[in-house]
Amino acid sequence: LTLGVAYKRIEVMWKNLGLTGKIIVAMVLGIILGLFINYSGLNAEGGFVSTYITNGFFAIIGKLFVNSLKMLVVPLVLISLICGVCGIGDIRLLGRIGTKTFLIYMMTTALAIATAIGLGILFGIGKGMDIETEAAFEAKSAPPLLDVFSNIIPSNPISAMANGDMLSIIFFAILIGISILMVGKPAKGLVQSLELINEVILKMVTIIMNLAPYGVFALLTKAMAELGLDLIWSLLGYVAVLVGSLAFHFFITMMIVLKLFSGLSIKTFLAKMREVQIFAFSTSSSNATIPITLRTVTKRMGVNNSVASFTVPFGATINMDGTAIMQGTATIFIANIYGVDLGVTEYLTVILMSVLASVGTAGVPGVGLIMLSMVFAQVGLPIEGIGLILGVDRILDMLRTAVNVGGDAAVTAIVAKSENKMDTAIYNDPDAGAKDVFDGHIDEDNEREFSNVFSDGIMGSEYDDVDRRR
Ligand code: ASP
């Protein structure tokens, strides 16, 4: 009986929790369960739990969840950006917003890596450490920067979409948008239809967000069950300085930048970003998080779609503050371990290379390490050194991705505010966009509307004609 009562209580509590609350609880429970599975030794390879639970059940749920997010990225970016360009009014404004966004993204990334290098030097991480490389690191090559630029214009837009080449898709969408504007009035119906499609896709995002607690729980249980925290202790210096730099950059530097350039409330920003960052944390992918970031900045922060539809996918691709921080910290760490002395020139090279590397690579899991090998090659650090930090990178990837998307959203807010493309009433309303949930019920009016479409609605008369002709 008491068990039944307890269950009822928990059920009521769960129901009363808002979506953000549910996602946070799911995250914490996933981490606890995953660590339990790890430390109890249950996850032994080949055992029942490993085969059927962590790599079976949880892996499948997690994969389904990540797939459902990725499924929406390309259609959402394409359609919302076409709408965004059409809604911007003045095409010259597009160029200004583009330049401004690019410059702020680069500036914040440079700040991020400078922070990491500064803290790394201050704490002298890795000095006097003598550890063996455990895993040999095979450097995968990053796309040459020249290719990145020449591929911005896709030779085949369909294959660009199939591959999810974000910069190509952005280019193609902007071109369509500008051309629609040039066609002018006759294309109005087209734009209205696209705007409707955009709303439909955002509803799909809403549906998926409501499944997030289960997805996040599964992803984190699996990740923690596999990784555990053991490795972290052996590399504590590196991990601590890295995490400290990430926190410093996001909570201090970026929030000062946000306040200074936009005057917006920091507290509100952080509260509304929580969901987005948990998504980024559990998927380790800025790209997969695009739908959530876009929905949050437009519906919850009041950023006009004409700005957000460009800055968010653009940022997911070229702006990676967290990743740049990892590169700065790793450079200092590995240099100290191998006893390589880096001078000012090398540090400047590291900053430049990291910023460039972050432009050239997409926001997907683990890409930061590939970029790191590019940086190491430039300053003459041994690539094998990356093998030292390989073991902890999976967990740190989660953290830095949360910082990456945080930067995308902050810059989006700054640019939107400065261009007067933000509804501050929505920004300041804590509940804005939070009530748009999917609970399996469809509004009755809507249901009635569509159930009649074929019998006596708009389509009715046409169908009568067809029947008569037969
Ligand atoms: N996973 C990161 C992202 O998607 C990139 C990285 O640092 O590996 O933003």
Side-chain angles (χ1 to χ4, degrees):
L1 191 76
T2 40
L3 256 182
V5 173
Y7 179 77
K8 270 261 141 13
R9 282 239 173 102
I10 292 177
E11 200 182 6
V12 170
M13 260 159 60
W14 180 251
K15 282 226 170 93
N16 287 338
L17 226 55
L19 183 62
T20 314
K22 282 184 184 151
I23 296 178
I24 293 175
V25 170
M27 175 177 78
V28 174
L29 289 180
I31 293 177
I32 294 175
L33 179 63
L35 289 179
F36 170 75
I37 293 178
N38 184 295
Y39 284 105
S40 61
L42 279 173
N43 205 37
E45 219 175 300
F48 178 83
V49 173
S50 160
T51 317
Y52 296 104
I53 309 286
T54 46
N55 286 310
F57 182 69
F58 286 125
I60 292 173
I61 303 283
K63 187 92 201 316
L64 287 173
F65 176 62
V66 175
N67 280 356
S68 62
L69 280 169
K70 286 191 189 160
M71 164 178 84
L72 299 182
V73 173
V74 172
L76 181 60
V77 170
L78 183 75
I79 307 285
S80 71
L81 189 48
I82 297 176
C83 295
V85 174
C86 292
I88 212 162
D90 184 354
I91 300 184
R92 272 164 304 176
L93 191 59
L94 195 70
R96 196 171 76 211
I97 291 180
T99 318
K100 195 192 265 182
T101 309
F102 182 76
L103 291 178
I104 306 181
Y105 275 151
M106 293 301 105
M107 184 194 84
T108 51
T109 307
L111 275 179
I113 183 161
T115 306
I117 292 180
L119 288 181
I121 295 177
L122 183 70
F123 289 101
I125 41 165
K127 274 211 175 114
M129 240 173 123
D130 186 22
I131 38 178
E132 291 286 307
T133 314
E134 292 165 24
F137 180 71
E138 286 267 350
K140 272 193 240 132
S141 56
L145 217 50
L146 276 181
D147 283 5
V148 172
F149 287 115
S150 58
N151 286 339
I152 287 181
I153 301 186
S155 62
N156 179 344
I158 306 292
S159 81
M161 283 180 233
N163 295 330
D165 296 337
M166 210 45 74
L167 295 182
S168 311
I169 299 173
I170 291 177
F171 179 86
F172 189 59
I174 292 180
L175 195 61
I176 297 181
I178 293 177
S179 309
I180 291 179
L181 286 177
M182 287 169 69
V183 170
K185 266 214 186 105
K188 210 171 154 206
L190 174 62
V191 177
Q192 280 167 342
S193 308
L194 287 173
E195 262 162 17
L196 281 177
I197 298 179
N198 195 35
E199 276 309 309
V200 171
I201 303 178
L202 283 172
K203 284 289 178 238
M204 293 164 84
V205 180
T206 301
I207 295 176
I208 289 165
M209 278 193 81
N210 282 273
L211 299 175
Y214 310 100
V216 166
F217 177 69
L219 284 174
L220 287 179
T221 306
K222 177 174 186 289
M224 294 301 153
E226 273 169 5
L227 300 168
L229 299 174
D230 293 343
L231 277 171
I232 287 184
W233 305 125
S234 63
L235 289 169
L236 197 61
Y238 170 69
V239 174
V241 170
L242 180 43
V243 174
S245 308
L246 287 173
F248 186 91
H249 178 73
F250 181 66
F251 290 112
I252 303 193
T253 314
M254 282 313 285
M255 291 308 108
I256 292 176
V257 171
L258 178 73
K259 191 85 209 170
L260 227 54
F261 286 96
S262 72
L264 294 164
S265 151
I266 294 174
K267 210 170 135 221
T268 310
F269 180 83
L270 290 177
K272 294 192 174 186
M273 274 311 284
R274 230 176 277 151
E275 278 164 15
V276 183
Q277 290 187 300
I278 295 178
F279 269 79
F281 179 74
S282 37
T283 59
S284 296
S285 169
S286 309
N287 267 24
T289 312
I290 289 176
I292 312 300
T293 318
L294 200 53
R295 182 181 180 277
T296 302
V297 294
T298 51
K299 303 273 181 201
R300 302 211 58 201
M301 295 189 188
V303 174
N304 193 296
N305 181 53
S306 57
V307 171
S309 63
F310 168 70
T311 55
V312 169
F314 193 46
T317 314
I318 73 154
N319 182 53
M320 298 184 189
D321 296 355
T323 305
I325 288 173
M326 179 276 279
Q327 292 173 345
T329 313
T331 305
I332 308 279
F333 181 66
I334 306 289
N336 281 340
I337 285 187
Y338 282 86
V340 179
D341 266 330
L342 297 178
V344 178
T345 335
E346 276 85 13
Y347 288 131
L348 289 177
T349 314
V350 172
I351 295 184
L352 187 70
M353 278 310 293
S354 295
V355 172
L356 285 179
S358 77
V359 177
T361 38
V364 293
V367 79
L369 279 190
I370 300 177
M371 290 153 62
L372 187 61
S373 55
M374 263 165 93
V375 175
F376 276 22
Q378 276 301 312
V379 290
L381 282 175
I383 308 275
E384 316 83 76
I386 297 179
L388 287 175
I389 51 173
L390 207 57
V392 283
D393 197 67
R394 182 64 186 77
I395 283 192
L396 296 173
D397 191 5
M398 301 167 79
L399 280 175
R400 67 176 181 255
T401 308
V403 173
N404 288 347
V405 297
D408 300 344
V411 174
T412 296
I414 291 171
V415 172
K417 184 79 198 324
S418 74
E419 291 292 340
N420 242 332
K421 296 270 180 199
M422 178 181 237
D423 186 339
T424 37
I426 295 184
Y427 185 92
N428 292 324
D429 172 6
D431 284 335
K435 292 270 166 348
D436 184 22
V437 291
F438 174 72
D439 59 0
H441 295 287
I442 305 291
D443 182 66
E444 272 177 34
D445 285 344
N446 285 351
E447 236 173 296
R448 219 170 303 123
E449 193 76 35
F450 286 100
S451 66
N452 292 333
V453 164
F454 284 98
S455 54
D456 56 22
I458 30 170
M459 307 281 282
S461 51
E462 287 166 38
Y463 274 76
D464 287 350
D465 279 356
V466 174
D467 280 348
R468 241 172 278 138
R469 251 182 273 135
R470 276 208 200 113

